[in-house]
Amino acid sequence: MPTTEFLDQLRQIVGASHVLAEGDLTAYEQDWRKRVHGKALAVVRPGNTAEVAAVVKACTAAQVQIVPQGGNTGLSVGSTPDDSGTQVVLSLTRMNQVRHIDRDNLSFTMDAGCILQNLQDVADKEGLLFPLSLAAEGSCTIGGNLGTNAGGTQVVRYGNTRDLCLGLEVVTPQGEIWDGLKGLRKDNTGYDLRNLFIGSEGTLGIITGATMKLFPQPAAQLTAWAAVPSMEAAVRLLGLSHQHLGAGLTGFEVMGQFALSLVIKHMPQLRVPFAGLADAPPYYVLLENADSESEQHARERFEHLLELAFEDGCVLDAVVAESIAQAHELWHIRESIPLAQAEEGLNIKHDISIAASRIPAFVEHADAVLQREIPGVRLVNFGHLGDGNLHYNVQVPEGEDGKQFLRDKEGLVNHLVYEAVAAFDGSFSAEHGVGALKVDKLEKYQSPVALQMMHAIKNALDPQGIMNPGVVLAKS
Amino acid sequence: MPTTEFLDQLRQIVGASHVLAEGDLTAYEQDWRKRVHGKALAVVRPGNTAEVAAVVKACTAAQVQIVPQGGNTGLSVGSTPDDSGTQVVLSLTRMNQVRHIDRDNLSFTMDAGCILQNLQDVADKEGLLFPLSLAAEGSCTIGGNLGTNAGGTQVVRYGNTRDLCLGLEVVTPQGEIWDGLKGLRKDNTGYDLRNLFIGSEGTLGIITGATMKLFPQPAAQLTAWAAVPSMEAAVRLLGLSHQHLGAGLTGFEVMGQFALSLVIKHMPQLRVPFAGLADAPPYYVLLENADSESEQHARERFEHLLELAFEDGCVLDAVVAESIAQAHELWHIRESIPLAQAEEGLNIKHDISIAASRIPAFVEHADAVLQREIPGVRLVNFGHLGDGNLHYNVQVPEGEDGKQFLRDKEGLVNHLVYEAVAAFDGSFSAEHGVGALKVDKLEKYQSPVALQMMHAIKNALDPQGIMNPGVVLAKS
């Protein structure tokens, strides 16, 4: 079919103004970190699920490949077209309505294009909590969160996006609509399609709607900052926190001293507790404790925990935020690490996970290997220790040219890190997804038996290979 | 291949004493509720994963179908052979070792044939909690729990078996071993095979090992029993409990007055609070509150909740157990309902789920329909209201012949109940699985789009149709 005729078909489905085929489409064609610049045949912006289905049917009939896209904030290049100019970007952002709030079922149902922060706000206005929270929450969409099974800062208590989802609405590669939005907490009626689509990054179908869990708002939430003598001590503190805060433990972030030194250097207005000292300890932990009772009770529990931790020796010094503003300040330090890294210059990011018990040994091993193989390398280590998830990033050695270093050493750095991760039975992709960026890593590090099953599933559900080809799995 | 030659192959793999082809094999060939009596070619009992893989390869080569079996305690006929005498029952019960406990990662890894109660005990000895708990725990296996995604009494806090699982080891229908036992809490490296196998009832492969979550033991656990004026009030109490106990709420069971009257009648030694009175309220709730602090604190929280509930009017009367013995007594009443039902005579069981918000309207509707269509019918309604899961059972009318009633009315009863469930967007299979028993219900009530995807997945992973054919999905 000639392109003009095909585009006319799309225009008839979604309206002419929602088929973008000219002008500056950079926002849709380029990934968040600007690593990849693609070229789309068109960007199509359907307004509802029926339109998504019709667009998919038109694309399938014309054998045009589809790249589903939410807020396009992903870090693994999973939602941008290739440079062929033949793929359609199907943007869900016009589908941004909350469809239904069910207070008694503690759930709500929404379009996939809803911005995460808007969903947090909707829950908040109902006096409820939607706990998914991550750096891109102001622009990422729930469909994207589901497509990548996003993590974030509350996983230690509430789980990944997967764990927050009660149901999906999906348009299949054949353009059929699967309505799985019953909002049930128990439902064993056949294979778990919901979890199959979650984390499949738009390669098996397009998530158009979701029913997500809500939670009661805690009566109080407190934040503490602790200096710890080692990663081993941080893991011990995690165990004590689980034991004494129970499900009250909603956040447990670890930060290395060098990561914080970059914050101190580039954001001098931030007051970083303990980390600026000459004999600063090597690691810091940010803890959050949510309490269903009262602030006073939360404070007592926190103080009790910290007393035990001092006795144990796993905490050297600690502060508990006295106010919400101070709590925000502490979190702001943690969240400033990526920006401070960028200010310092180019760096190589990793999003890895390892069983918490093995993280101290992993860090010791990986630090040593990298420093031996690449003298002067600087390790920016921080992340969600409560989930065994580290952002184990590598900053260019001081004084070296960043671009040159990346050209020469990025492959080696990734190789060393991922080999170390594999040696410790870890994952090279904890919460950012595989995207197009890490397809080769999946081929290398995923079990061949698992890979074979994944390809079989892809071929079974999308035999034409229409949906987001080259993402997650290599094109077969 | 001649049968004797094939059996010799199996004997070479697992040892002659672990291939049972003669004598009384009823325990393996008959389902728990004795609804189906099959006939196996042989029962094979491999001792490790490599043996399972070799058995599967032998069966695949000989085109012999395999029925994986754990404790064979399922309620939906998912683990017994058909009556052809051609299928092999592959029993996992010899694989019953805990392989590894990882305290700092709060996880442990075990063979699929471990008895659930033994796993609870292992966790307990470590001072940790494995919260999966259900009636058959003394004989069911973790592999069976995973295969059916079992629920139980702690789901409101800890989720279904699915939510407790960090990883699986699976033998595929091709006899390959997939080792997914890394124990990671975040891992987005391709499609979610783990959740696909969980709940697939042995139709996609055989779960041979698992890594499961552990939790800190609560410092105290308290049980309360409340009489409530209506199902609506019970749902309101659920909301208050979520709000004021937070994640402390570990159990929330509802029981109808008639269900308890059967316990009072057939187990006169049990003292059932409030339900024996002439003007007994229609519903009762059993609540459990786990506390990471102390018994005193748990008691204060419970009393605070109950005060609010009295004020609200959603609780008429309540007791909080004073001792562990008394708490066990209260749970024992709840757990005695199925036995009391059996003592009363034949009955028709349903395992349904509906959004908690819609349960009061559902119950009113379903009760009315059944009483209108089948005069004298007696409704035994109880279940895990915290998860929207009711065991909405139907007892034969007083004085009628049970067998005759089942012959005449079982189809109609099921039809009326499942149509009502469908009208309220519920599920006909909440926690017991589909098995062979409810395949026709899946065909009828599952979305055709979803069904088509499930068949495509089955065909992709098990193209020969070797694994547990006729379970979950109709043979294609």
Side-chain angles (χ1 to χ4, degrees), chain B residues 58-78:
Chain B
C59 289
T60 299
Q63 301 212 323
V64 169
Q65 297 175 345
I66 301 169
V67 178
Q69 191 179 86
N72 197 21
T73 61
L75 299 177
S76 301
V77 193

Side-chain angles (χ1 to χ4, degrees), chain B residues 100-216:
Chain B
H100 177 58
I101 299 173
D102 187 341
R103 291 188 59 91
D104 283 340
N105 196 46
L106 285 175
S107 67
F108 62 157
T109 299
M110 72 285 300
D111 291 343
C114 286
I115 301 282
L116 174 53
Q117 200 166 57
N118 294 348
L119 295 176
Q120 295 166 350
D121 291 346
V122 164
D124 194 62
K125 269 184 203 142
E126 289 285 322
L128 295 168
L129 173 71
F130 182 55
L132 185 62
S133 177
L134 44 91
E137 61 197 23
S139 31
C140 65
T141 64
I142 190 69
N145 301 145
L146 287 159
T148 56
N149 185 29
T153 54
Q154 305 269 302
V155 175
V156 69
R157 163 69 181 95
Y158 297 101
N160 297 289
T161 307
R162 177 185 306 293
D163 305 292
L164 297 172
C165 182
L166 292 174
L168 293 181
E169 179 188 79
V170 170
V171 171
T172 71
Q174 292 75 41
E176 304 290 335
I177 299 169
W178 169 48
D179 178 352
L181 295 176
K182 290 178 176 175
L184 304 175
R185 280 161 202 272
K186 278 184 177 171
D187 183 19
N188 284 330
T189 47
Y191 303 148
D192 185 1
L193 300 176
R194 179 183 77 214
N195 278 305
L196 187 60
F197 281 105
I198 297 173
S200 69
E201 305 188 29
T203 62
L204 299 177
I206 302 173
I207 295 172
T208 51
T211 300
M212 306 297 293
K213 293 182 190 170
L214 290 166
F215 293 83

